[in-house]
Amino acid sequence: GGNLIVFGIRERRVLAEIAMPKGTEGIALSASGDRLFAAENTRQDLLVIDTASDQIVETIPLKGAVLSNPKTSRLIRLRVSPDGATLVSTNYASGVMHIHDAQNLADHVLIPIAKGPQGIAFTADGTQALVSNHDCGLITRIDLGAAKALECVEAGKGIEALTFF
């Protein structure tokens, strides 16, 4: 399975369990906190969960999903930009990323990037994203508005996470 568990910090107990019979991948919370995004493992769909009801309210097929072994993780990662305007998803198995307008998630752009994308970080102004590519040791710089890769820089194999302070 891989169900999502909702734990109440104040209540100090499990409040809900959201059924995910095909397993889940990365998760991210909208800037307003009203939506939780999760990637479904088998079909590689983006699931939109209403946090008030703990129910899946929308299923969005991600463009460019590749066939791979559903018994192993596709390592899909999701991140919401600090301003809440953009959701970015990366797919390790296919070497692609998706740029979603947070107000219109289904109309997303597919960008091929380097093999094994994992970590995602946004620049302070929110116009660009950096994506770490675990397998080939690159960091790819993405222009979110133009929806295109600008450059790659060598950073060493095994990069899985990125953040800015």
Side-chain angles (χ1 to χ4, degrees), residues 40-45 61-70 72-76 91-96 98 110 112:
E40 187 271 337
N41 187 49
T42 302
R43 288 192 318 264
Q44 304 169 62
D45 292 338
L62 293 173
K63 296 174 185 174
V66 297
L67 295 176
S68 60
N69 186 347
T72 61
S73 175
R74 275 46 180 265
L75 295 175
I76 297 172
N91 187 314
Y92 184 92
S94 62
V96 300
H98 302 91
L110 171 77

